Amino acid sequence: QLQLVESGGGLVQAGGSLGLSCSGPGFDDYVLGWFRQAPGKEREGVSCIGRNTGRKTYSDSVKGRFTISRDTATNTVYLQMDSLKTEDTAVYYCAASDLFRLCVSEDYATWGQGTQVTVSS
């Protein structure tokens, strides 16, 4: 069974940058995504990338600030987060789907353990 290992995250001041990465075997077979959940809020699809890296999507809240990419050679998906805001504070999850749609959370059967991102003012 696919297992995802996340790294990155941490504490940063508003306006700063952080990078997240997530690795797992056989990533080529999966649509990959980053989701986040803040306390008291529903889980949100932040950014997702298809098997063909030309297909990407971003939530309106992060568009222009976050960049998703994947490296098929190392089976890793990245999320570069720039111009961070306090409202980006959340637990971020990497997830994999063997279906087709991007950022439809119910399609994602495999999830990472989550990593905390905290943006201070």
Side-chain angles (χ1 to χ4, degrees):
Q1 184 175 352
L2 177 66
Q3 290 188 326
L4 306 178
V5 179
E6 301 171 2
S7 60
L11 174 64
V12 66
Q13 286 191 328
S17 298
L18 279 176
L20 304 179
S21 63
C22 174
S23 299
F27 259 10
D28 285 358
D29 296 333
Y30 296 90
V31 171
L32 302 171
W34 289 97
F35 296 78
R36 69 185 180 187
Q37 188 162 23
K41 294 188 177 181
E42 292 188 356
R43 186 167 58 196
E44 174 190 14
V46 175
S47 182
C48 298
I49 186 166
R51 295 173 182 84
N52 179 341
T53 57
R55 210 164 60 100
K56 302 176 185 179
T57 187
Y58 298 92
S59 67
D60 289 342
S61 59
V62 307
K63 201 171 293 182
R65 300 188 297 119
F66 290 12
T67 303
I68 192 170
S69 62
R70 66 190 294 170
D71 184 340
T72 55
T74 60
N75 286 322
T76 304
V77 60
Y78 301 96
L79 185 68
Q80 178 63 35
M81 305 182 291
D82 299 319
S83 301
L84 282 160
K85 305 176 181 180
T86 55
E87 52 263 44
D88 294 319
T89 295
V91 177
Y92 284 69
Y93 298 90
C94 172
S97 166
D98 60 2
L99 300 178
F100 182 77
R101 297 185 295 181
L102 294 179
C103 276
V104 179
S105 62
E106 56 262 36
D107 286 359
Y108 288 74
T110 305
W111 294 79
Q113 78 279 10
T115 185
Q116 177 69 44
V117 171
T118 303
V119 185
S120 63
S121 59

